[in-house]
Amino acid sequence: MKVLVPVKRVVDYNVKVRVKSDGTGVDIANVKMSMNPFDEIAVEEAVRLKEKGGVTEIVAVSCGVTQCQETLRTAMAIGADRAILVECADELQPLAVAKLLKALVDKEQPGLVILGKQAIDDDCNQTGQMLAALASMPQATFASKVELVDGKLKVAREIDGGSETLELALPAVVTTDLRLNEPRYVTLPNIMKAKKKPLEIVKPADLGVDVTPRIKTLKVSEPPKRGAGVKVADVAALVDKLKNEAKVI
């Protein structure tokens, strides 16, 4: 079975992002970039499924600028067999990415698409669900355990008040949660091997997809700074402030 693993290049989670002075977005100039942590978990899970014998090939996919090749090389160092970059300098919104992935699903015919539940830059949590709808594939979101059993996929996912186990017919779409696994450390020999693995570059036009943005960002701003707290003499003073100043009771 072939597995398709979309990965996104984002600002590293250790970096404190800064908003541009004109409020048009986040400043990413000279900022460390890395693979989205949820997508890294997805690559790790695909590799583990392959190690168990249920998967024959892992294809990593990324949509974005030329530098996304670095992210794909990281995915191949973890264990992906080959990679595809949909190169595009324009802003890619979740629906556009889902359409690009749908075109690649039609081309590659994978038995499973596994990707992060969301990206840590926009936190949209939409691409996996949109892909499942466009491709008419069953989906399991926020997976905390994935198993291949008798040609079907069993997925455990956390819900309010407990957990839920789903059984999906293949092909299917799965989005990963943090509790699914802990990605392995990428070793230098595997990084060197990844440089020799095939990486295909295509354009959105080659896939017949229009990636024109449908949503316009009007303004980006940092959250307001939290004000200093105050001390009160007794409970009566606290209740008075909650009632008359904060107006929460």
Side-chain angles (χ1 to χ4, degrees):
M1 181 178 71
K2 182 189 298 184
V3 177
L4 198 70
V5 188
V7 296
K8 186 176 183 180
R9 178 177 181 262
V10 299
V11 175
D12 190 88
Y13 67 92
N14 288 313
V15 174
K16 181 175 174 58
V17 295
R18 300 186 305 273
V19 175
K20 293 180 180 177
S21 58
D22 58 3
T24 57
V26 173
D27 186 7
I28 59 171
N30 301 315
V31 170
K32 182 183 177 183
M33 308 291 282
S34 62
M35 187 189 302
N36 179 46
F38 290 102
D39 295 338
E40 194 173 358
I41 290 169
V43 177
E44 173 66 25
E45 191 63 25
V47 173
R48 292 188 184 190
L49 290 172
K50 185 179 180 181
E51 290 172 345
K52 292 177 183 176
V55 171
T56 55
E57 184 182 29
I58 301 170
V59 183
V61 178
S62 191
C63 305
V65 295
T66 305
Q67 291 87 338
C68 290
Q69 293 186 40
E70 301 169 10
T71 308
L72 290 170
R73 293 294 179 193
T74 301
M76 289 190 284
I78 295 173
D81 298 295
R82 60 186 176 92
I84 301 172
L85 170 61
V86 183
E87 193 174 47
C88 179
D90 300 328
E91 176 192 0
L92 291 174
Q93 295 175 351
L95 180 59
V97 175
K99 288 180 177 179
L100 292 170
L101 294 177
K102 163 66 166 59
L104 289 174
V105 166
D106 292 341
K107 178 183 176 182
E108 294 288 337
Q109 295 292 309
L112 174 65
V113 181
I114 182 166
L115 66 160
K117 69 174 183 178
Q118 65 193 69
I120 61 171
D121 52 2
D122 56 20
D123 276 333
C124 283
N125 179 23
Q126 295 174 345
T127 304
Q129 293 90 326
M130 287 178 171
L131 172 61
L134 291 171
S136 299
M137 295 164 68
Q139 62 175 307
T141 56
F142 318 130
S144 57
K145 186 177 181 181
V146 176
E147 287 182 297
L148 279 169
V149 181
D150 299 328
K152 293 186 177 181
L153 200 68
K154 280 194 174 182
V155 179
R157 57 192 300 271
E158 293 186 6
I159 58 174
D160 292 340
S163 62
E164 176 182 58
T165 301
L166 303 176
E167 185 177 82
L168 284 72
L170 297 173
V173 175
V174 173
T175 68
T176 63
D177 206 347
L178 284 174
R179 294 171 183 81
L180 181 57
N181 62 53
E182 185 174 340
R184 68 194 65 192
Y185 178 76
V186 180
T187 61
L188 182 58
N190 286 335
I191 292 174
M192 301 306 293
K193 289 177 184 177
K195 292 182 179 180
K196 298 181 180 179
K197 292 182 179 180
L199 193 157
E200 179 185 359
I201 299 176
V202 298
K203 302 287 186 181
D206 299 334
L207 301 174
V209 178
D210 179 14
V211 296
T212 305
R214 294 168 178 248
I215 300 172
K216 182 179 179 182
T217 302
L218 300 179
K219 184 180 179 182
V220 177
S221 60
E222 294 184 5
K225 292 184 179 179
R226 186 174 180 178
V230 295
K231 291 183 178 180
V232 294
D234 50 34
V235 174
L238 173 62
V239 173
D240 178 68
K241 284 187 176 292
L242 290 174
K243 185 175 182 181
N244 298 314
E245 292 185 20
K247 299 187 184 300
V248 295
I249 60 174

